Amino acid sequence: MYSEWASLQSCVLSDAGSASVLHTFPEGVGREVACSVVRHLAHGLTHAGAEDGQKLDSEQQVNWTMEVLCYGLTLPLSDHETLRDCVNVYSDWLTVLTTPKTSVPKPIQEEPNKYAQRMFKHLHNLFMPRSEGNTYVDKQALMCHRILRTTQNIAKESSVMTQQTWEGLLLFLLGINDTLLAPPTAQGSIADQLCDRLVSVLFEIWLVGCARCFPSPPLWKTLREMCTTWRHHAAMVDQWNRFNIVLTSKVLKIMYGPDFPELKIAEEDISLVPIDMANECMVQTWFRFLHVLGNPVDLSSPNVISQTPRFIHMAMISDVVIDPSHHPCLKRLPAIFLRAMKGISGLVDAFLGMSPPRETEELDSAPTTPQVFRGSSASTTPPGSRKNVRSFIPSISGKDKAEFRKSAPAILPRQPSASSVSLSSGDQHTVPSPCRPKVNSVLHLFGAWLFDAGLAGCELEPTQKRQGSFSSMGSRRSSAVFPGTSQDVAATVDSPEYPESYESGRAEACGTLCRIFCSKRSGEEILPAYLSRFYLVLAQGLQVGRYCSREVMAKIVVNCTDLLRSDLKGVDVLLPRIVDALEIILPDRELIKFRPYVNQIELRRSAIQLLLSILSLPLHFRDLQIQDILKTQTHDTDEPEQNTFLSLKLRMVNLLIGSLQCEQDSDNTQMILGGMLLCVQDAALLEEAELQAEQAELQENEESDNTEKTADQEQKGTVDAPDHETPASKLAQALYSEYDSAYGLFVRCIHLVCQRLMSAWKTDLNVSLAALELLSGLAKVKIHIQDVLECKRAVKWICDYIGYQCSRPPPNHSRDLHSMIVAAFHCLTVWLVEHAYLMEDKECLQHVLETVELGISGSKSKVKASDQPKYKGDKELKPASMRVKDTAEATLYVVMSQVGSFPSTSGPASLCTLLNEEAIMKYARGSSSEGSLLFRYFVIDRNIIMGILEQPLGNEQDPMPTVTVLIRTPYGRHAWTMQHRQLSRQDRLGSRSALNDPGRPIPMADVGIHHDVTHRNFPEEVDRVPPTKADLSIPTLQQITGEKLRQELDKLRALMEAQVRYETDINGLTEQRIAGTTFPNSDTECKPPRIVQEFHPSRLFLSQLGFLSLDGLRSAPNSPLPALIALDSKTMTFHLDIELLDSIPVRSHDTVFTFYVKHGQKTTADILNNVEAAENVQPQFLEFLRSLGWPVEVGRHPGWTGHVSTSWKLAVDDDVFDDSTPVADGTGGSLFNGDKQVLYYGDISSEVAFVVPSGNRLGNCRDQLPDKQAVDRSSTQSDIMTTGPGPSRNLTLELAGVDPSPGAVGPDTTSAHGRKRQLPSRANMHVGPDTKVLVIWVESYDDIENFPLEDLLCECTTGMDYASSTSSLGSRPGMEAFVIFIHPLKTGLFRVNMHGPAGRVSKAIPLVDGMVVSRRALGALVRQTAINICHRRRLDTDTYQPPHIRRKIKIQEIVTKYRNQMSEPEFYTGLFHDV
């Protein structure tokens, strides 16, 4: 920089201006003269200063007096009073440059600059070291401090100083600094006491001089040359750091403006830079000050630092020091080197706009070599930040430490713009500023120093072959620094026996380089020279074995978490060395050898982040070889074994397993669990794809072979059997015989996670949730299960976990504990549904049912196998909580109804039937428009509503008692058709023979002999009995009749005779007719009864199921309601409440909104328009969308579609939405914007809709906000409640939340297609917290900082966004948005970035912030993470009610509202009446 300019150093050192004429006289003469004169001058200053000062009225008098004062300043410290008087006199006289005092002589007032320059030269004598030792050093220091204060005031306040005076002042300061600081430091000397103050005043006045009279290049060159000879003083480096930080803070504002993160400095340092300094002058001064110390890396070499004339002179005259580099003061060089590197590190962080990690300074175990110059948060005051820095300097003396703290800066985080929203990430390392310079620019400025410092003391030599390790290199230290030893250097370097290690400074430089390269922007190019040197530095720092430096390794690992996810060219060459380093860090539980350098938790977290960024590499690059960056060409014939990416897979898997076994931090454990699921999922998908490819290849080969064989054998006339000795499954199995297969990792993960879940994690909520999410994810992985016993063990472990948590003492029961139990039941449900064959095992089924029983009742029927079972009626119900009880009941329902039958015939979009009363009546005989009124409604056990239709369906031929039952339970709606049959359906012939007439036998002509017999009323013996007088005691009729009676008797007799004649005639006619009638007689023939065509099947159905008993119709002792209740379905609002019940889903539902952000986009309109055309998006994005779920048509989809108005349609709603419009192809994802189609995924417990909002979407921000028209419309429709069978609830508030968009259909509103559909309000649909999950595909990773989240939230509407608000219509509750950013890397992998509101249970897996995911596993992991995020939010919400609980409450409400109060006789009577 100053190569063409001459240095003034020789002039400063040889200046004779500080010598007095009295030096030519004997010492006693000069001393006597000086003491007398100076005493008189000082007395005049304190008593009559004005008169004494005016006596020196000539130039000769002043010159003579100054000669005396010059000599007086050279007196020994024993004459400290004379020295003090000389200082007082010159201090008063120097005020001539500012505000002259009355004691200043007149000649000096007339020519202030001339005499001031002479006084500066004379004052140099005061700073000369004395031979008396350290006896009066304190007194000399006080006098020196006064002169320094005086010069400070003069420089700041003087307005008369000329350029020569400024140069004289600066040369004076350079001279006194060089006099005291250039020689080797002695403990307690004047230089040791004044070092910090001297350098501080020099730099401060130099800055003032730059603003008032910019120093000439010779002066700058002199400053640089002299400063390089003072570098063995710690205060020199501290002040250099201090002023660099102050100047850099000003330069950053000039270069990047006010939006750049502010570099916070101490309040007392703000005034160091003059306010009136121009910007150009500021930049020039900053750059020159930056290089004033020369190359800071020289501080790591005592040979360089000691090659100065003063050190050589000291070695020549000393009897102890032989070599200048062995001087004792140089033992502080390691600490000074560290300070210099920390200063450079702080400057780099300032240019990158990085603030320090949030938790680094708050941890109990503070590292020895922290990042001091990365400052504190914006909320702390400067004294607070200085206080935090104190703990970071344990090896520095108190005085130096106090000054060093002044240079500790802090970077204020940049305030977010109005269009963006503050996003919190789980990564501890802050993101660089978007306005930061390019990596090449920073390296142009600091790269040479940092690269040299990163290799300080290392000597690159040809590597020697070593078995079992990829890393090897030669010696690291020269003999001048580290003496040779025969012991292991790894233990030597890290032991406290060598406190003079330069590893701390080297480590700081390596960490700074890592931060620079990890701040690379997307698409930014870095010079290959810089990349190669950087990789060389990291390869040296990550060595293991003999030359391992744990401090350097720790700093690299902590600062390079983004190394392999920043698209650095060729960075994969470091992969084996990174794995070597991770194998040292992660399996070590205590990290004792790393404890002095960094915080253990932070180190492990960074190592895990690094591991998560490389897990996908082995299966992605496969057999690609990795070159050794340190390998040199040798003449050995045996080449070492080449490393491939796939060869590192098993080591990475073992790292995951080992780190999980010894990890104790909750956040770190969750990250590892996410990585384990990534490995299993990725390996399983790869094996499945390769298996299919192998099978297809085999099939093609077989077809071609068969064709050739057929052609050959047609000529030979023979045909051979095909050969199947090598199936595809064996090929795939052989492919992974060398490495861990997906199934092997699957088993290892289950064993380890289950064991740790029971032993160490059962009291940690977040880790337990993450472990259960991992187990659920493993259950869903499509993998060939080779041993069913492993799955049984997993289910058994989960059951044992639930049992342990439920059996904990009551004081330990809390909401967190119950949340863990609920999550465990959810995990158990997933395992049973995905592996339905487990329920065929008796032992597994028993474990599951016992666990369910424990959750419902709080105890098991049999604690031990030998115990007698305790029946349900004898047990006291004491569940752990109602949440646990409800979840256990839901698990029981899944076991009984869904295991082995999911998905049903209606698909995974619905767990229940799609039929309702209206749809069923379409197929019933004699259906009418009021078909729903033909149903009888009953409630069973207060939780089940049965709608019974007594009409048979139209296709039924047999006249049998038939009922169609719609069963509505808390778990869904089910339709059953039942018949009362006497025979099976297969026995059709028997059924007809039982109902047809078999016919009469043929009559016989021989009827036997006919005997005429006179029938008597009494036997003949009665006539032979003689009568007695008693027989005549009763008179005959003739004896007692009179004339009148006789006439009546005659009439009666005549009638009787006429009747006899009539009957006789009739008998004759009858006999004649009978005689003429053929056999058999149809009138007298016995026939079977006619088959009944009309029944009361509901009565038969309820009776035969045992519901019509008197006990069932009476209230139970433990319930005020009977087991069977009839409902009044004729009430006007009954069917509306039934529709409301049907509208409550049976599963939790979530919506994920996906956006595509091109490079540099910041506005909502641009982002929404990206997905309109396929050429606007990357092909991987379209593939990713298809991997999230399967496409469904909104108009016909029976499940969740992302919006309330189009979800959960029934079979009768097929024509609600007209989807006849053809769907345009070639879109970039806008096809799934929710208007026509969405992407859907459903499992046993949840359903997810993936929506891609677009610019032409019908819905917009108005979906969320109620408009005045909707409110007015609701008020006008409220009269429907009293005029018709329409909705009876007050529509005013509920319609306020109904979507006014064209695609929405509100209660009793007419859609665009002319069909009315009554939908419930959003308040009734709201079943959980408003959790927004957004998936953002960003082409440039830097666009994350400016993502307009607040604006895009308006496009993320589900129809329930404000239903939970209980305030006014215009109020807006706080949004909770979780954002998953996906950035495609050039390697074909994808970087994941997670943002979201902080919460106790918000960190869901498998995706972890910073994870790098493969293409094949991306969709599945994003989907599972979104589901787990929403599930955790529901667990953490106090007011959340699961869907089956909300349905249960609604059923109970219907029972209370529409119960038909009838006595038993009235109930029975009603069953015999038609509906």
Side-chain angles (χ1 to χ4, degrees):
M1 187 185 303
Y2 314 105
S3 58
E4 298 180 358
W5 298 91
S7 173
L8 303 178
Q9 184 176 4
S10 58
C11 299
V12 175
L13 298 179
S14 61
D15 188 10
S18 59
S20 173
V21 67
L22 294 179
H23 285 94
T24 60
F25 295 94
E27 180 179 353
V29 176
R31 176 181 178 279
E32 184 177 354
V33 173
C35 290
S36 302
V37 175
V38 171
R39 186 182 305 111
H40 178 73
L41 288 175
H43 183 268
L45 294 177
T46 56
H47 293 83
E51 298 178 359
D52 292 336
Q54 294 300 330
K55 292 179 180 179
L56 301 176
D57 52 2
S58 67
E59 184 177 354
Q60 291 79 8
Q61 294 174 351
V62 173
N63 290 337
W64 184 85
T65 305
M66 293 182 67
E67 290 292 331
V68 175
L69 292 173
C70 177
Y71 184 83
L73 291 172
T74 62
L75 293 176
L77 294 178
S78 57
D79 297 323
H80 60 86
E81 293 182 356
T82 304
L83 282 171
R84 182 194 60 199
D85 294 339
C86 293
V87 169
N88 292 336
V89 171
Y90 268 174
S91 296
D92 279 7
W93 288 6
L94 284 174
T95 59
V96 70
L97 296 175
T98 55
T99 304
K101 292 185 178 181
T102 57
S103 59
V104 178
K106 184 176 181 181
I108 298 179
Q109 294 183 12
E110 294 176 352
E111 297 181 280
N113 287 286
K114 171 184 175 182
Y115 288 99
Q117 296 173 25
R118 288 189 60 190
M119 284 187 279
F120 290 149
K121 294 181 180 180
H122 295 172
L123 288 172
H124 185 279
N125 295 325
L126 176 65
F127 294 86
M128 297 293 294
R130 270 39 176 194
S131 59
E132 292 92 343
N134 299 333
T135 305
Y136 299 97
V137 168
D138 293 338
K139 298 183 180 297
Q140 184 183 9
L142 289 176
M143 292 181 283
C144 292
H145 277 296
R146 179 170 184 187
I147 294 299
L148 293 176
R149 284 195 302 271
T150 302
T151 55
Q152 280 182 298
N153 295 332
I154 292 173
K156 292 180 180 180
E157 300 175 5
S158 176
S159 59
V160 299
M161 291 177 62
T162 62
Q163 182 177 359
Q164 291 78 11
T165 306
W166 272 109
E167 290 184 357
L169 175 60
L170 297 180
L171 289 175
F172 159 68
L173 294 174
L174 288 174
I176 61 177
N177 275 272
D178 189 74
T179 299
L180 294 179
L181 304 183
T185 307
Q187 186 69 27
S189 63
I190 183 64
D192 191 29
Q193 292 194 24
L194 292 179
C195 177
D196 184 80
R197 178 67 172 160
L198 285 171
V199 179
S200 174
V201 172
L202 170 63
F203 286 170
E204 184 176 354
I205 295 179
W206 200 281
L207 284 181
V208 177
C210 291
R212 307 287 173 80
C213 183
F214 197 81
S216 61
L219 275 176
W220 280 105
K221 185 172 184 178
T222 304
L223 174 66
R224 179 175 180 178
E225 290 181 352
M226 287 190 167
C227 286
T228 56
T229 63
W230 309 336
R231 293 179 296 185
H232 56 283
H233 294 276
M236 176 66 201
V237 176
D238 292 344
Q239 293 298 328
W240 178 67
N241 290 333
R242 178 190 177 198
F243 280 84
N244 278 335
I245 287 294
V246 174
L247 291 171
T248 301
S249 66
K250 303 292 184 179
V251 171
L252 290 177
K253 293 181 180 179
I254 297 173
M255 295 177 63
Y256 303 108
D259 291 338
F260 197 78
E262 180 184 355
L263 181 60
K264 191 174 183 181
I265 58 178
E267 291 182 358
E268 58 267 25
D269 294 341
I270 297 177
S271 60
L272 292 179
V273 179
I275 301 177
D276 56 345
M277 182 178 287
N279 291 344
E280 179 65 24
C281 179
M282 182 80 69
V283 175
Q284 287 288 333
T285 304
W286 164 77
F287 187 78
R288 295 166 190 254
F289 255 97
L290 185 64
H291 295 82
V292 79
L293 208 61
N295 188 353
V297 186
D298 293 341
L299 293 170
S300 64
S301 176
N303 290 328
V304 176
I305 298 299
S306 61
Q307 294 303 313
T308 62
R310 300 295 182 90
F311 269 91
I312 296 175
H313 175 72
M314 178 65 68
M316 293 176 62
I317 64 176
S318 175
D319 297 333
V320 179
V321 180
I322 301 176
D323 193 313
S325 62
H326 292 170
H327 195 279
C329 71
L330 297 180
K331 292 182 179 180
R332 302 182 63 184
L333 281 183
I336 300 174
F337 177 56
L338 172 61
R339 294 180 179 209
M341 291 300 103
K342 284 185 177 295
I344 297 175
S345 175
L347 296 178
V348 169
D349 289 344
F351 274 96
L352 297 180
M354 297 176 64
S355 57
R358 293 184 297 273
E359 298 180 0
T360 303
E361 298 177 358
E362 299 175 1
L363 298 172
D364 296 333
S365 177
T368 304
T369 59
Q371 301 168 6
V372 178
F373 288 92
R374 299 177 70 179
S376 60
S377 62
S379 61
T380 58
T381 60
S385 63
R386 296 196 303 274
K387 181 178 180 180
N388 289 338
V389 177
R390 180 175 302 175
S391 60
F392 293 158
I393 320 171
S395 60
I396 304 175
S397 62
K399 181 180 296 185
D400 295 337
K401 189 187 304 182
E403 294 296 332
F404 185 46
R405 287 198 301 269
K406 297 180 181 179
S407 60
I411 300 176
L412 291 178
R414 185 176 63 89
Q415 296 296 330
S417 61
S419 61
S420 63
V421 67
S422 179
L423 299 175
S424 62
S425 174
D427 192 1
Q428 293 297 321
H429 297 82
T430 55
V431 180
S433 170
C435 306
R436 65 187 181 275
K438 293 184 177 181
V439 172
N440 287 335
S441 299
V442 179
L443 292 177
H444 291 337
L445 195 58
F446 304 103
W449 295 343
L450 293 174
F451 287 133
D452 290 345
L455 296 174
C458 298
E459 294 182 2
L460 301 180
E461 295 181 359
T463 57
Q464 303 296 329
K465 288 196 303 178
R466 291 191 290 125
Q467 298 293 333
S469 176
F470 181 81
S471 338
S472 58
M473 66 168 295
S475 62
R476 299 192 26 236
R477 291 280 177 248
S478 61
S479 58
V481 182
F482 286 99
T485 176
S486 60
Q487 300 179 354
D488 187 11
V489 178
T492 303
V493 171
D494 295 314
S495 65
E497 297 176 2
Y498 286 83
E500 298 180 356
S501 170
Y502 293 90
E503 295 303 306
S504 297
R506 180 187 168 212
E508 189 67 33
C510 292
T512 305
L513 283 173
C514 291
R515 292 196 299 276
I516 294 175
F517 281 87
C518 290
S519 66
K520 169 185 171 295
R521 288 188 176 93
S522 299
E524 181 182 346
E525 295 294 334
I526 301 178
L527 294 178
Y530 287 148
L531 285 174
S532 59
R533 293 200 66 181
F534 175 61
Y535 296 157
L536 182 62
V537 170
L538 260 62
Q540 292 277 9
L542 294 175
Q543 289 185 100
V544 298
R546 178 176 177 83
Y547 303 107
C548 175
S549 173
R550 286 179 171 82
E551 185 172 3
V552 177
M553 181 186 296
K555 279 292 183 179
I556 292 177
V557 170
V558 167
N559 291 279
C560 73
T561 54
D562 292 336
L563 184 65
L564 284 98
R565 53 196 187 201
S566 299
D567 274 335
L568 293 174
K569 290 184 178 180
V571 71
D572 295 329
V573 298
L574 298 174
L575 185 60
R577 298 189 179 274
I578 292 175
V579 175
D580 291 341
L582 296 181
E583 287 176 340
I584 293 179
I585 297 173
L586 289 178
D588 189 354
R589 183 185 300 271
E590 302 297 333
L591 292 175
I592 296 177
K593 294 184 178 180
F594 291 93
R595 188 171 296 176
Y597 314 124
V598 292
N599 179 267
Q600 294 88 334
I601 296 178
E602 182 184 0
L603 176 60
R604 294 186 63 86
R605 186 165 302 161
S606 300
I608 294 170
Q609 283 277 355
L610 202 55
L611 178 61
L612 293 179
S613 65
I614 64 177
L615 286 178
S616 300
L617 293 177
L619 296 182
H620 184 71
F621 291 109
R622 308 285 303 208
D623 297 324
L624 186 65
Q625 293 184 354
I626 305 174
Q627 300 296 330
D628 188 354
I629 191 174
L630 294 180
K631 178 183 176 183
T632 58
Q633 295 294 334
T634 61
H635 300 286
D636 297 339
T637 57
D638 297 335
E639 291 293 333
E641 181 182 356
Q642 294 292 337
N643 285 270
T644 63
F645 284 90
L646 198 57
S647 65
L648 300 175
K649 177 193 173 186
L650 186 58
R651 296 173 63 185
M652 295 181 186
V653 171
N654 292 334
L655 272 175
L656 276 176
I657 301 297
S659 60
L660 188 62
Q661 289 176 337
C662 61
E663 185 56 62
Q664 298 176 350
D665 181 72
S666 176
D667 292 338
N668 293 352
T669 303
Q670 296 180 71
M671 295 165 60
I672 298 173
L673 293 174
M676 295 179 73
L677 186 53
L678 166 63
C679 286
V680 178
Q681 184 78 54
D682 195 19
L685 292 175
L686 177 63
E687 291 181 10
E688 182 181 3
E690 292 189 344
L691 182 60
Q692 293 177 356
E694 293 290 341
Q695 290 176 344
E697 183 179 356
L698 279 177
Q699 186 176 0
E700 293 178 359
N701 294 337
E702 289 176 359
E703 291 178 356
S704 60
D705 293 344
N706 292 337
T707 303
E708 296 176 357
K709 288 181 180 180
T710 303
D712 296 339
Q713 290 163 359
E714 285 179 355
Q715 299 177 357
K716 298 179 182 180
T718 59
V719 178
D720 297 333
D723 186 9
H724 297 284
E725 294 180 357
T726 311
S729 58
K730 291 185 178 180
L731 288 178
Q733 197 170 15
L735 181 63
Y736 290 96
S737 59
E738 186 178 356
Y739 309 105
D740 250 6
S741 65
Y743 175 74
L745 182 56
F746 172 83
V747 174
R748 294 178 67 183
C749 290
I750 289 179
H751 286 182
L752 178 59
V753 171
C754 290
Q755 291 174 3
R756 296 284 293 172
L757 186 61
M758 286 296 296
S759 61
W761 302 339
K762 53 193 175 185
T763 58
D764 192 320
L765 173 63
N766 287 286
V767 178
S768 294
L769 293 180
L772 293 170
E773 289 169 355
L774 171 62
L775 293 176
S776 300
L778 292 177
K780 294 181 179 180
V781 173
K782 304 303 179 184
I783 194 171
H784 175 66
I785 303 299
Q786 302 176 9
D787 188 0
V788 181
L789 185 60
E790 300 298 339
C791 297
K792 290 174 56 179
R793 287 173 180 165
V795 173
K796 176 66 166 53
W797 276 106
I798 298 173
C799 293
D800 292 344
Y801 175 80
I802 296 175
Y804 172 82
Q805 299 288 38
C806 291
S807 62
R808 292 178 65 180
N812 295 334
H813 280 248
S814 62
R815 179 174 178 82
D816 289 349
L817 176 64
H818 299 157
S819 297
M820 288 187 275
I821 300 175
V822 170
F825 270 114
H826 172 74
C827 178
L828 179 62
T829 301
V830 173
W831 271 93
L832 297 180
V833 173
E834 297 294 335
H835 302 271
Y837 54 84
L838 294 175
M839 291 293 91
E840 300 175 2
D841 183 79
K842 181 179 179 181
E843 182 181 359
C844 186
L845 178 61
Q846 181 178 357
H847 284 308
V848 172
L849 294 182
E850 284 182 348
T851 304
V852 170
E853 177 193 13
L854 176 62
I856 295 176
S857 64
S859 61
K860 294 183 179 180
S861 297
K862 295 176 63 175
V863 180
K864 298 180 181 179
S866 59
D867 296 344
Q868 289 294 328
K870 190 175 183 180
Y871 298 104
K872 181 176 68 174
D874 301 332
K875 293 171 59 177
E876 183 179 1
L877 296 181
K878 287 186 177 180
S881 70
M882 293 307 297
R883 292 174 62 206
V884 174
K885 177 178 178 293
D886 296 337
T887 308
E889 290 178 347
T891 303
L892 180 61
Y893 162 76
V894 171
V895 171
M896 296 301 177
S897 301
Q898 298 295 337
V899 171
S901 62
F902 177 83
S904 62
T905 54
S906 59
S910 178
L911 296 183
C912 52
T913 182
L914 303 181
L915 301 173
N916 63 355
E917 287 84 353
E918 185 177 352
I920 291 176
M921 289 307 298
K922 291 182 179 180
Y923 305 99
R925 293 180 184 175
S927 60
S928 63
S929 58
E930 300 295 335
S932 59
L933 299 178
L934 300 179
F935 280 78
R936 295 177 184 265
Y937 290 91
F938 301 92
V939 177
I940 300 174
D941 293 333
R942 300 171 299 279
N943 289 325
I944 302 174
I945 295 179
M946 286 197 314
I948 303 178
L949 176 65
E950 296 183 340
Q951 294 184 5
L953 299 182
N955 60 353
E956 183 58 47
Q957 302 298 326
D958 293 337
M960 296 183 179
T962 303
V963 292
T964 301
V965 183
L966 267 178
I967 303 175
R968 291 178 170 86
T969 69
Y971 305 98
R973 182 182 61 255
H974 310 281
W976 288 87
T977 297
M978 289 167 277
Q979 290 182 331
H980 182 199
R981 306 187 68 90
Q982 305 296 335
L983 297 173
S984 65
R985 291 182 180 272
Q986 287 76 13
D987 196 2
R988 292 285 184 180
L989 180 60
S991 176
R992 288 195 298 269
S993 63
L995 298 178
N996 295 335
D997 184 9
R1000 298 290 294 173
I1002 300 175
M1004 297 178 64
D1006 185 9
V1007 296
I1009 302 174
H1010 180 70
H1011 299 279
D1012 293 333
V1013 179
T1014 302
H1015 297 279
R1016 296 174 58 88
N1017 294 326
F1018 298 99
E1020 295 178 355
E1021 288 77 7
V1022 176
D1023 295 337
R1024 300 189 189 103
V1025 177
T1028 63
K1029 291 182 179 182
D1031 294 331
L1032 300 176
S1033 61
I1034 301 175
T1036 62
L1037 184 63
Q1038 291 79 3
Q1039 295 176 353
I1040 62 173
T1041 56
E1043 185 63 25
K1044 185 177 180 180
L1045 183 59
R1046 185 179 297 112
Q1047 293 177 1
E1048 293 179 357
L1049 290 176
D1050 291 340
K1051 291 179 181 180
L1052 180 60
R1053 189 179 297 113
L1055 290 174
M1056 291 177 61
E1057 291 175 355
Q1059 183 65 26
V1060 170
R1061 287 192 302 271
Y1062 176 76
E1063 291 181 359
T1064 302
D1065 294 339
I1066 291 299
N1067 288 337
L1069 294 175
T1070 302
E1071 288 177 357
Q1072 292 177 4
R1073 187 176 67 253
I1074 292 175
T1077 303
T1078 61
F1079 181 86
N1081 189 354
S1082 59
D1083 295 334
T1084 61
E1085 179 71 16
C1086 182
K1087 298 179 180 179
R1090 182 178 299 177
I1091 301 300
V1092 178
Q1093 298 291 337
E1094 299 294 336
F1095 310 93
H1096 293 94
S1098 60
R1099 170 173 53 84
L1100 300 178
F1101 171 72
L1102 295 174
S1103 175
Q1104 292 170 4
L1105 291 183
F1107 291 118
L1108 294 184
S1109 64
L1110 290 176
D1111 294 337
L1113 298 179
R1114 295 171 180 169
S1115 300
N1118 57 351
S1119 174
L1121 298 177
L1124 181 66
I1125 301 174
L1127 297 180
D1128 184 7
S1129 60
K1130 298 180 181 179
T1131 306
M1132 181 171 47
T1133 59
F1134 175 78
H1135 294 285
L1136 178 60
D1137 283 331
I1138 290 295
E1139 289 186 11
L1140 292 178
L1141 174 62
D1142 290 340
S1143 67
I1144 301 176
V1146 298
R1147 293 177 290 180
S1148 59
H1149 57 279
D1150 305 301
T1151 307
V1152 178
F1153 297 91
T1154 306
F1155 298 91
Y1156 187 94
V1157 181
K1158 300 185 73 173
H1159 179 73
Q1161 288 184 339
K1162 298 180 181 180
T1163 62
T1164 302
D1166 293 340
I1167 295 174
L1168 293 178
N1169 292 330
N1170 289 333
V1171 294
E1172 297 296 338
E1175 56 269 17
N1176 294 338
V1177 300
Q1178 298 173 342
Q1180 297 92 330
F1181 176 70
L1182 298 178
E1183 179 183 334
F1184 164 70
L1185 289 180
R1186 291 287 182 172
S1187 66
L1188 291 175
W1190 52 88
V1192 296
E1193 295 185 6
V1194 172
R1196 298 183 177 89
H1197 181 56
W1200 173 247
T1201 62
H1203 200 279
V1204 173
S1205 61
T1206 58
S1207 299
W1208 303 305
K1209 289 177 290 297
L1210 304 178
V1212 73
D1213 298 325
D1214 289 343
D1215 56 346
V1216 172
F1217 296 93
D1218 182 14
D1219 289 341
S1220 59
T1221 305
V1223 178
D1225 296 332
T1227 64
S1230 61
L1231 175 63
F1232 310 115
N1233 61 3
D1235 293 338
K1236 298 294 183 181
Q1237 291 187 8
V1238 294
L1239 294 168
Y1240 176 83
Y1241 175 84
D1243 57 19
I1244 190 62
S1245 60
S1246 62
E1247 49 184 345
V1248 187
F1250 297 91
V1251 182
V1252 186
S1254 60
N1256 60 0
R1257 187 186 181 194
L1258 295 180
N1260 51 32
C1261 289
R1262 293 184 296 109
D1263 293 354
Q1264 295 185 10
L1265 300 178
D1267 59 346
K1268 185 177 183 298
Q1269 296 177 358
V1271 179
D1272 295 341
R1273 182 174 65 252
S1274 64
S1275 61
T1276 58
Q1277 293 181 350
S1278 60
D1279 297 336
I1280 299 178
M1281 297 175 55
T1282 58
T1283 59
S1288 62
R1289 63 192 186 282
N1290 189 348
L1291 299 179
T1292 303
L1293 290 180
E1294 295 181 353
L1295 264 180
V1298 174
D1299 186 2
S1301 62
V1305 183
D1308 200 18
T1309 59
T1310 304
S1311 68
H1313 308 288
R1315 177 180 176 85
K1316 285 190 176 183
R1317 181 188 178 195
Q1318 295 179 353
L1319 288 177
S1321 66
R1322 294 182 181 180
N1324 291 322
M1325 303 293 295
H1326 190 72
V1327 295
D1330 183 22
T1331 303
K1332 298 288 187 182
V1333 179
L1334 281 70
V1335 176
I1336 315 299
W1337 186 286
V1338 289
E1339 291 184 356
S1340 174
Y1341 191 79
D1342 304 293
D1343 292 333
I1344 294 177
E1345 183 71 19
N1346 298 317
F1347 180 71
L1349 176 61
E1350 187 68 25
D1351 298 336
L1352 286 176
L1353 282 178
C1354 294
E1355 303 295 331
C1356 305
T1357 58
T1358 61
M1360 299 183 299
D1361 306 278
Y1362 298 103
S1364 60
S1365 177
T1366 58
S1367 56
S1368 61
L1369 293 177
S1371 64
R1372 175 178 182 176
M1375 289 290 182
E1376 294 184 349
F1378 291 84
V1379 187
I1380 303 175
F1381 290 100
I1382 300 174
H1383 171 59
L1385 301 176
K1386 294 181 179 179
T1387 59
L1389 301 175
F1390 300 88
R1391 179 179 180 179
V1392 176
N1393 186 275
M1394 307 285 291
H1395 289 275
R1400 296 187 309 119
V1401 293
S1402 59
K1403 295 182 180 179
I1405 63 169
L1407 288 184
V1408 178
D1409 186 32
M1411 180 181 285
V1412 177
V1413 185
S1414 65
R1415 182 178 180 180
R1416 54 184 163 267
L1418 179 63
L1421 296 179
V1422 169
R1423 179 180 62 245
Q1424 190 64 33
T1425 303
I1427 294 175
N1428 292 339
I1429 286 174
C1430 298
H1431 178 64
R1432 285 203 180 194
R1433 296 298 296 176
R1434 285 188 286 267
L1435 278 179
D1436 196 38
T1437 304
D1438 296 336
T1439 58
Y1440 171 71
Q1441 291 177 338
H1444 68 277
I1445 298 301
R1446 300 191 71 251
R1447 290 182 60 88
K1448 182 177 180 180
I1449 294 174
K1450 185 62 180 178
I1451 291 174
Q1452 294 173 354
E1453 177 185 338
I1454 292 176
V1455 173
T1456 305
K1457 188 175 181 180
Y1458 302 104
R1459 178 187 177 186
N1460 209 340
Q1461 299 285 351
M1462 293 187 297
S1463 62
E1464 290 86 348
E1466 292 173 343
F1467 187 90
Y1468 287 134
T1469 303
L1471 294 176
F1472 288 90
H1473 293 286
D1474 294 332
V1475 179

